[in-house]
Amino acid sequence: MNGHLEAEEQQDQRPEQELTWSWGHRPRSALDRVKAMAPPLPLPLTPSTPLLHGEFGSYPARGPRFALTLTPQALHIQRLRPKPEARPRGGLVLLAEVSGCCTLRSRSPSDSAAYFCIYTYPRGRRGGRRRAARTFRADGAATYEENRAEAQRWATALTCLLRGLPLPGDGEITPDLLPRPPRLLLLVNPFGGRGLAWQWCKNHVLPMISEAGLSFNLIQTERHNHARELVQGLSLSEWDGIVTVSGDGLLYEVLNGLLERPDWEEAVKTPVGILPCGSGNALAGAVNQHGGFEPALGIDLLLNCSLLLCRGGSHPLDLLSVTLASGSRCFSFLSVAWGFVSDVDIQSERFRALGSARFTLGTVLGLATLHTYRGRLSYLPATVEPASPAPAHGLPRAKSELTLAPGPAPPVAHSPLHRSVSDLPLPLPQPALTSPGSPEPLPILSLNGGGPELAGDWGGAGDAPLSPDPLLPSPPGSPKAAQLSPITEGASEMPASSGLPPPTPDARVAISAGGPPDHLLPPLGAPLPPGWVTMEGDFVLILAISPSHLGADLVAAPHARFDDGLVHLCWVRGGISRAALLRLFLAMERGSHFSLGCPQLGYAAARAFRLEPLTPRGVLTVDGEQVEYGPLQAQVHPGLGTLLTGPSGCPGREP
C-alpha cells in the first residue's frame, strides 16, 4: 500500500514505545551471542538508495503534510502543504542520531489512522545533543488495519536499518523480520562521576535504551569489587550483554570477575559495554571515536555511547594479562602505568569530587614536583612472529601513548538498591528527560525489562491521546514471559574456586586466577628469550596501552584498534623539561603529540613486555587501579573479550 501518512516534529509530546527488536535471536552460548550481536550485512545499497517513500502529515492532524523518503542512512522530510519550504528545517534525520521507533494508535474509536514515532538526538547549534520525537500519521486507507500495516512497514524498515538487519529483496517488509529484544544487565556505580552516575542513568540512559526496545535489569553496586562478585554468580546464558554505567574501574571488575569463573573460556566471550558516567572514561572515548562521532565529554559522550549501544554490534577486544611481583595475575583492557601517569592518577584521588578535572589539577601538581625513576623495560617487538596466530591485519600506525588513567572507585556505604531492579515489587518512576532544552515529559519507566508506561496524554486540545500498538506479541523468550534465575552475590554463592584475596594498601587491584596461559612469557625473574629488546635508564614515565584513548579527551594511540593484537608502549626519558612534558599532554588531546619531535618520547608496538622498577619507591597502576610495587610482565591475548561498540563510523554520519 502506498501510504498517505502524516508527520510532525513533536518537541513537547511523547508517545509510548512499542516496537521490539533484537541484536539476534536468543543464542545458546556466549560465542553464539557474539555472532548474533554482530549486525548481519544488509543488501548492497548505496547511502542514497530510496527504500520507502510516502506522504505524511502531523499529529495533531491539523498540522502540515510531508513527503518522506527513507534511505539506508537517513530519513528525508519535505513539507508539501500548506506550501513547500524552500529550505526545510529539520529536513534530514540521520539514522546515526536515532535511538529507536514505535507504532501507536489513537485512543479515539473513530480515528482509523495509525501512527509511528521515531526518537532522535540531533546536535544543536552549540554542539550538544537534545532529544526530539517525531510522530507520523498513516491515514491513506479507510480502515485502521490497513493504516496499521503501513505504519508497521515503515517502523520495521527503520528498525532493520538501525540494527543492520537485511531487508528482503522482494519488498515485503513485515514485523516478522524483527527478532526478540536483547536482554542486558546494567551495573551502575551510583557514586561515579562526582555522584551523578545514577542521576545520569535515570535521566538519559534508561529512557534511550527503552526507546530502543532493549530489555534490561539494573543493579546498583555498593562497594569495591561488588561487580566482580556479581558476575561470578550470574547465569550468563540469560544475558546478551553486561553494560557498566560508570567509569573504567567498574568494567575492570566485570572482566576480571568473568575470567575468575570456572567456565572463564565461555564467560569471557559475554559481550560487555560501557556507558561513561565516571571521572575516567578512556574506553568510552575510544568507542566514541570508533563510532565515527566527534570527540565529546560529559553528557554528550554518554549520549553518543548510548546511541551506539542502541544500534547493537560488537567487536573483539584484546586483553592484557599482567603478572605481578607476587606471582598473582590480573587482566587489563586499558593500560599499565608507572611514573608520572600513575603518580597523577593515584595522587589525584583526593580531588575525585572534581570529576575529570581532578586529572588536570593532578597534572599541574605533578609537574611542580616532577620525578624521574630508574628502571628497565623489555619487550617482544610486534615484528617478531609470536607463537600464537597473529592478527589478520598489519601493524598499527600508532606511535605512542601516555596520559592520566582513571582512579579506583573508593569504598562506599551500602545502597538500598543493590538488587536487580526487575526483582523489586514496584516500578521505579523516572523524572523528566533532562537533555538540554528538551521540554518533553518522560513516560514512567518500568525497570523490569518492559517498555515504558504512558505517563500522559499526547495530543493537544481536542486530540485523542495515543497509546502503544505493538508490532509483535511478546515472544515466549521475552522478559515478561521468562523466569530468570536469581542474581547471586556474596561469597557463599560464588564458585568455590574463586576466593577473594584480602585487600592490602599496596595491592587494591582484583586478582584473577583463571584465564589463558601466557605462552610468550618466561617466569618473572627468569632470563628473557631471544628476540626481546631491553632498555635501562631514567624515565619520567612508562606506559603500556591497548586502545586508542587514555581519557575521553586524550588520544594516546590514534591508530590503535580494539583487536590489533598489540600493546602500545610509550616512555618519556629523564631530562625532559616541565614545559615540554606539558606540551606533550596538550597535544595528546588531538593525538598529535608525536609530531612535536620530542627527543625524550619513545614508542614501540609489542606483543609482550616486562617492567622492572629499579627505584625503591613508586606507584604502579593497572587500568587506573594501584597494584603492588615491583617487577611485572604482561602479554596481549588478542580478541579474548568482546566489546559492545555499535557500528563503526563512516563518512557523513555526523552533520
Side-chain angles (χ1 to χ4, degrees):
M1 162 179 133
N2 234 349
H4 292 290
L5 302 169
E6 309 177 9
E8 175 185 88
E9 179 173 359
Q10 299 289 325
Q11 297 271 352
D12 57 346
Q13 300 170 344
R14 170 175 173 158
E16 165 55 3
Q17 179 174 355
E18 76 54 57
L19 189 61
T20 60
W21 53 74
S22 167
W23 294 319
H25 295 284
R26 177 171 293 278
R28 297 180 180 179
S29 66
L31 184 58
D32 293 333
R33 287 197 299 274
V34 172
K35 296 177 180 178
M37 294 177 70
L41 293 176
L43 292 175
L45 301 172
T46 65
S48 59
T49 301
L51 302 175
L52 290 177
H53 183 78
E55 185 175 326
F56 289 70
S58 51
Y59 173 78
R62 297 178 299 277
R65 298 186 70 83
F66 301 88
L68 298 187
T69 302
L70 182 64
T71 69
Q73 287 193 355
L75 179 67
H76 301 260
I77 306 172
Q78 181 182 9
R79 191 171 74 179
L80 299 176
R81 292 195 295 273
K83 63 179 181 179
E85 292 178 296
R87 296 182 178 180
R89 292 178 300 171
L92 180 68
V93 177
L94 295 177
L95 299 193
E97 298 177 335
V98 176
S99 62
C101 63
C102 67
T103 58
L104 306 158
R105 70 173 301 173
S106 173
R107 293 180 183 175
S108 171
S110 61
D111 188 355
S112 63
Y115 303 82
F116 82 96
C117 176
I118 64 172
Y119 303 98
T120 69
Y121 291 80
R123 300 181 69 89
R125 294 179 180 177
R126 297 182 180 180
R129 295 195 182 277
R130 59 173 295 173
R131 181 185 175 279
R134 308 181 78 119
T135 306
F136 305 88
R137 185 171 189 261
D139 60 355
T143 66
Y144 168 74
E145 287 70 21
E146 293 176 286
N147 290 325
R148 178 176 184 260
E150 180 69 357
Q152 288 183 343
R153 188 165 74 98
W154 279 79
T156 300
L158 179 59
T159 300
C160 287
L161 293 177
L162 293 176
R163 297 285 173 254
L165 299 173
L167 290 171
D170 58 6
E172 287 295 326
I173 301 174
T174 66
D176 294 335
L177 296 173
L178 304 177
R180 61 100 178 135
R183 186 168 184 84
L184 300 179
L185 176 62
L186 304 183
L187 300 179
V188 183
N189 173 12
F191 295 90
R194 296 177 295 169
L196 296 176
W198 177 233
Q199 194 69 23
W200 284 11
C201 180
K202 291 190 297 181
N203 291 346
H204 301 283
V205 174
L206 300 185
M208 188 181 291
I209 65 176
S210 295
E211 293 162 2
L214 306 182
S215 173
F216 64 92
N217 278 34
L218 183 147
I219 299 175
Q220 287 192 11
T221 59
E222 298 179 331
R223 58 191 178 275
H224 189 59
N225 280 333
H226 189 191
R228 174 171 169 258
E229 299 167 12
L230 285 169
V231 299
Q232 291 176 347
L234 285 180
S235 175
L236 294 176
S237 62
E238 295 170 351
W239 305 96
D240 296 305
I242 301 174
V243 179
T244 61
V245 186
S246 184
D248 296 310
L250 201 60
L251 184 60
Y252 173 88
E253 291 186 21
V254 168
L255 286 170
N256 278 274
L258 292 174
L259 282 159
E260 196 167 282
R261 291 170 57 112
D263 60 343
W264 65 264
E265 291 181 88
E266 180 76 7
V268 75
K269 295 303 179 184
T270 301
V272 297
I274 187 167
L275 296 179
C277 290
S279 55
N281 300 311
L283 187 62
V287 170
N288 184 72
Q289 175 178 282
H290 177 269
F293 291 127
E294 294 295 322
L297 296 172
I299 293 293
D300 288 332
L301 178 62
L302 175 62
L303 293 178
N304 287 352
C305 291
S306 298
L307 281 171
L308 293 170
L309 178 68
C310 291
R311 296 289 299 272
S314 60
H315 206 85
L317 178 66
D318 294 344
L319 296 180
L320 193 68
S321 67
V322 183
T323 303
L324 304 176
S326 63
S328 58
R329 196 166 67 141
C330 59
F331 286 83
S332 162
F333 65 88
L334 186 59
S335 66
V336 176
W338 177 52
F340 184 81
V341 171
S342 57
D343 290 347
V344 169
D345 191 4
I346 299 305
Q347 293 172 9
S348 66
E349 276 292 312
R350 62 183 184 272
F351 309 125
R352 180 170 284 274
L354 300 177
S356 59
R358 68 179 249 229
F359 298 122
T360 302
L361 179 57
T363 299
V364 173
L365 296 178
L367 288 170
T369 58
L370 191 61
H371 299 286
T372 58
Y373 300 89
R374 187 155 192 86
R376 184 182 302 117
L377 175 64
S378 305
Y379 62 91
L380 178 65
T383 53
V384 176
E385 186 67 24
S388 59
H393 33 263
L395 299 182
R397 294 172 296 279
K399 299 201 177 172
S400 166
E401 30 232 312
L402 63 163
T403 216
L404 308 182
V412 297
H414 285 204
S415 161
L417 284 178
H418 65 281
R419 302 178 186 86
S420 166
V421 176
S422 68
D423 295 334
L424 300 180
L426 297 176
L428 183 65
Q430 303 300 316
L433 188 69
T434 56
S435 295
S438 175
E440 295 185 339
L442 177 68
I444 301 301
L445 295 179
S446 173
L447 303 188
N448 60 357
E453 304 287 337
L454 205 60
D457 290 346
W458 257 76
D463 289 285
L466 303 180
S467 61
D469 179 25
L471 284 182
L472 294 173
S474 297
S478 68
K480 292 186 180 297
Q483 189 68 31
L484 294 181
S485 300
I487 296 176
T488 59
E489 57 179 307
S492 61
E493 298 177 351
M494 292 165 54
S497 61
S498 56
L500 187 62
T504 63
D506 199 33
R508 296 180 294 171
V509 70
I511 305 301
S512 291
D518 296 327
H519 62 280
L520 298 179
L521 296 174
L524 189 59
L528 293 168
W532 284 62
V533 176
T534 298
M535 63 181 72
E536 183 176 328
D538 294 328
F539 297 91
V540 171
L541 65 87
I542 292 179
L543 183 71
I545 183 173
S546 297
S548 57
H549 287 56
L550 263 177
D553 57 347
L554 289 170
V555 188
H559 299 288
R561 298 182 295 271
F562 296 122
D563 63 342
D564 57 15
L566 302 171
V567 56
H568 304 274
L569 300 176
C570 170
W571 57 87
V572 176
R573 289 187 177 271
I576 189 172
S577 67
R578 291 178 174 85
L581 185 60
L582 179 60
R583 283 195 296 269
L584 283 180
F585 278 92
L586 293 176
M588 193 182 298
E589 295 181 0
R590 304 179 300 275
S592 60
H593 42 298
F594 297 108
S595 64
L596 299 180
C598 177
Q600 290 85 13
L601 177 62
Y603 168 80
R607 309 289 186 193
F609 72 92
R610 176 182 288 179
L611 174 59
E612 299 170 274
L614 303 179
T615 304
R617 299 182 62 183
V619 175
L620 284 167
T621 59
V622 176
D623 291 358
E625 301 281 347
Q626 186 174 359
V627 299
E628 59 188 276
Y629 189 70
L632 60 77
Q633 60 184 18
Q635 172 186 328
V636 178
H637 292 276
L640 181 60
T642 303
L643 180 65
L644 296 172
T645 60
S648 60
C650 58
R653 288 194 56 183
E654 289 254 63

